[in-house]
Amino acid sequence: MILFKPNYKTMKQLFFIIISLLGAVGHAQDKNFDLSKYKFPDYKRHELEFSFNSNGSNYKRYYEIPATSSYNASLYDDSESYFNSHLQGYYYFTNYKRNRIDWINTSIKGDYQFTKSENVGSYYKNSQPHFETSFSAKRRNYITEDKFFWEGSTHLGVSLNKRKITYDDRPMETSTSNYFSFNAGIGIGTGRIEHVNDLWQGYYILEKLKNQNSIKQDLNDDEIFEFSRFISKLHNKRFFDYRLQKIAELQALDSVLRKQNLIINDDITYFITLNDYWSFPIYFDRKTGKEVGFNVTPQYYHDYDKSDSYKNTSNAVFLESKFYFDHSKQINLNWERNFHFDLINTTLLSEESDENTNTKKNQVATNASFDYGYFPNTRTRVQFGCKYQGNEFRYLSSTVTKNSWMNTVILDLDIAYFISPQVQAGASFSDRHWFSPLNSTHGHEIFYNLSFRYAIF
């Protein structure tokens, strides 16, 4: 992470260039069918993935500065070791039906940090394991197809943290913090956002086969839609042997193309292309449609902190009210545009704490994001855009707790590439600016991340 004083002129120029490019892309249209006419079949999706990373450092130095007429002699004999590891696993389940949609997400995360440093006359060691898990579920029922809906949701989160610190000749200090949260909400809305990964995969395969004269040239919408619906159903089938799965899927794809009477040349090029573009489908989540909704969610939080010198327990109940708007548009095979807006009000209903917090009862926040996704092929995604976050925050003035407003503007660039159907490499870059009227607060940071992800299925 790099921190430095913000250059607002440069930021303004960069923002103008990005908006100009996004506007130019937004006018491009080259798909030859109307997505709004496509009705997605019922389908289910499972995804299980794990990721692990570990990093560390170690250094040791020794040097002496001899005494002079003005300064005493100095000796530096110090060393430092740092180690961090992170393991996380996710499971996602989605069940799409025309009149009902179910989502289930679970996650387990573990983290361990260790730091040790020594110098002449001083010693420091910090050991900190951390564990957290969460479960989320939501069901949406459509009263009228693709229009009015009501939904219910729930979320459970648990976090456990323990820390051991040894400093110089003092006794080791230990601290424990546990965090628990639970919420359950209900909402209403109108509209529907469809996930069009399978439709684009079917279109992509048919276009490649058409360009090499393996299938007929004059494809109509119904033929594209029928092939894509079959792909959605084929993805639902589970196999325990990857080789048998590949054989069965390619046989099924070839069979449906022959049933539709699309094949005009089934030479080796046809089978190679079919295999290649089926092996690397569009895993990236691509969406189309719009939704407007409102939900209310009671939330309970429990926080417990204890060390050798203090103990603090707090319990709080909030009511979150949120209005949101989502809009996603597939511009063409290679481009998409997404917009999201939230307006959130959080009301404190009750609070019990060992400390006198004098908390304001209502706090407001808003979020807005606008981004474009570029997909040059089925393996690669480049996503870039802008986000705004605004929220009230508490601060202590003398003995009174007051509220102020924080503005945050973020420019994001994210690149993901599938090395194989299970292994994904990624890189992200973020340029973040924040400013507040409180004490003329402002800041700027640049953040980057490199990652690898492995999905079991």
Side-chain angles (χ1 to χ4, degrees):
M1 184 178 295
I2 305 171
L3 298 177
F4 55 88
K5 185 178 180 180
N7 186 329
Y8 293 104
K9 183 178 180 181
T10 303
M11 177 189 174
K12 185 177 180 181
Q13 293 173 343
L14 178 61
F15 183 76
F16 177 77
I17 292 172
I18 291 177
I19 293 299
S20 300
L21 291 173
L22 297 184
V25 171
H27 292 290
Q29 295 282 342
D30 68 1
K31 65 177 184 292
N32 58 7
F33 60 90
D34 186 0
L35 283 172
S36 64
K37 296 179 180 178
Y38 183 71
K39 298 297 182 182
F40 292 84
D42 296 348
Y43 64 88
K44 298 178 181 180
R45 288 290 184 274
H46 299 267
E47 183 176 352
L48 177 64
E49 66 181 51
F50 292 96
S51 64
F52 174 78
N53 66 67
S54 178
N55 59 77
S57 65
N58 177 270
Y59 86 86
K60 184 177 179 62
R61 66 176 179 175
Y62 178 93
Y63 66 93
E64 298 179 55
I65 301 178
T68 65
S69 57
S70 303
Y71 299 98
N72 296 326
S74 299
L75 170 64
Y76 292 87
D77 183 6
D78 63 333
S79 64
E80 181 175 291
S81 299
Y82 170 80
F83 172 78
N84 178 74
S85 63
H86 184 79
L87 173 66
Q88 59 185 7
Y90 292 96
Y91 170 73
Y92 305 96
F93 169 73
T94 306
N95 182 17
Y96 270 82
K97 295 183 179 180
R98 300 314 305 175
N99 62 345
R100 193 186 79 201
I101 305 176
D102 297 319
W103 295 273
I104 296 177
N105 300 328
T106 61
S107 68
I108 298 176
K109 302 178 183 179
D111 185 81
Y112 178 76
Q113 296 182 14
F114 176 82
T115 305
K116 183 178 73 172
S117 62
E118 296 180 71
N119 199 357
V120 179
S122 68
Y123 176 81
Y124 172 81
K125 183 172 73 172
N126 177 28
S127 174
Q128 187 170 340
H130 172 76
F131 170 82
E132 65 180 81
T133 183
S134 67
F135 171 84
S136 300
K138 183 166 74 170
R139 168 168 289 184
R140 174 177 294 176
N141 291 279
Y142 278 88
I143 302 171
T144 57
E145 185 177 352
D146 302 342
K147 292 294 182 181
F148 296 103
F149 63 82
W150 68 270
E151 61 186 15
S153 63
T154 185
H155 174 82
L156 174 68
V158 178
S159 175
L160 307 174
N161 189 71
K162 192 167 186 178
R163 189 177 183 185
K164 297 181 179 180
I165 301 176
T166 303
Y167 187 77
D168 290 344
D169 56 352
R170 303 175 192 174
M172 182 177 64
E173 179 180 344
T174 62
S175 64
T176 302
S177 61
N178 302 325
Y179 176 80
F180 172 82
S181 66
F182 174 78
N183 66 59
I186 189 168
I188 59 173
T190 181
R192 186 180 184 117
I193 291 182
E194 302 280 9
H195 297 259
V196 296
N197 310 37
D198 297 339
L199 175 57
W200 278 134
Q201 185 185 7
Y203 180 66
Y204 207 104
I205 291 174
L206 293 175
E207 282 293 296
K208 294 298 178 180
L209 292 175
K210 187 174 70 172
N211 292 339
Q212 66 186 32
N213 296 317
S214 294
I215 61 175
K216 69 177 189 178
Q217 301 297 304
D218 54 338
L219 296 175
N220 58 47
D221 288 1
D222 290 338
E223 290 169 332
I224 297 173
F225 294 162
E226 180 182 348
F227 184 65
S228 297
R229 289 191 188 97
F230 179 80
I231 286 178
S232 294
K233 296 176 182 178
L234 190 58
H235 278 312
N236 289 344
K237 296 183 178 181
R238 305 248 60 86
F239 294 84
F240 293 100
D241 188 308
Y242 178 73
R243 294 171 299 174
L244 295 179
Q245 175 184 356
K246 193 65 160 302
I247 294 172
E249 289 176 340
L250 290 175
Q251 286 177 337
L253 291 171
D254 178 67
S255 177
V256 74
L257 289 172
R258 295 183 185 278
K259 183 179 178 181
Q260 291 182 259
N261 295 317
L262 299 182
I263 300 175
I264 58 176
N265 184 8
D266 58 354
D267 59 5
I268 188 63
T269 305
Y270 159 76
F271 286 103
I272 291 175
T273 302
L274 188 63
N275 175 64
D276 185 37
Y277 289 102
W278 178 254
S279 299
F280 288 91
I282 298 178
Y283 291 99
F284 308 108
D285 191 18
R286 301 190 63 172
K287 301 174 291 184
T288 182
K290 63 179 69 174
E291 292 176 354
V292 179
F294 176 78
N295 57 53
V296 290
T297 307
Q299 303 174 341
Y300 169 74
Y301 295 93
H302 171 80
D303 205 349
Y304 172 79
D305 293 298
K306 179 184 178 181
S307 73
D308 298 333
S309 57
Y310 74 92
K311 182 176 73 172
N312 180 55
T313 302
S314 63
N315 297 277
V317 179
F318 296 88
L319 180 65
E320 180 185 276
S321 305
K322 181 171 73 172
F323 168 81
Y324 65 90
F325 172 72
D326 276 312
H327 182 248
S328 296
K329 180 178 178 59
Q330 297 297 308
I331 298 171
N332 52 47
L333 179 64
N334 303 110
W335 288 94
E336 71 175 13
R337 181 174 65 237
N338 302 292
F339 174 76
H340 175 81
F341 174 79
D342 283 332
L343 182 60
I344 305 169
N345 179 77
T346 304
T347 303
L348 176 64
L349 300 181
S350 68
E351 184 176 35
E352 298 176 3
S353 176
D354 296 338
E355 300 177 352
N356 183 16
T357 57
N358 190 23
T359 305
K360 183 183 176 182
K361 296 300 182 181
N362 286 288
Q363 289 189 314
V364 178
T366 184
N367 303 295
S369 63
F370 180 71
D371 66 74
Y372 275 81
Y374 173 57
F375 305 84
N377 51 57
T378 59
R379 298 190 184 194
T380 310
R381 181 193 65 191
V382 180
Q383 195 167 25
F384 53 95
C386 180
K387 298 178 183 176
Y388 169 78
Q389 299 171 348
N391 64 281
E392 288 185 292
F393 68 93
R394 292 179 291 176
Y395 69 96
L396 189 64
S397 177
S398 297
T399 58
V400 180
T401 301
K402 296 183 179 181
N403 271 38
S404 186
W405 187 263
M406 177 65 72
N407 301 281
T408 305
V409 179
I410 306 170
L411 296 178
D412 284 324
L413 174 65
D414 183 84
I415 302 172
Y417 176 75
F418 276 94
I419 300 172
S420 74
Q422 285 77 36
V423 181
Q424 177 185 340
S428 62
F429 173 86
S430 181
D431 184 9
R432 179 172 175 261
H433 297 254
W434 68 91
F435 51 96
S436 171
L438 177 64
N439 301 325
S440 300
T441 300
H442 62 271
H444 176 217
E445 68 178 338
I446 291 176
F447 176 79
Y448 73 91
N449 181 63
L450 303 175
S451 64
F452 284 90
R453 191 185 76 172
Y454 178 77
I456 293 181
F457 54 79

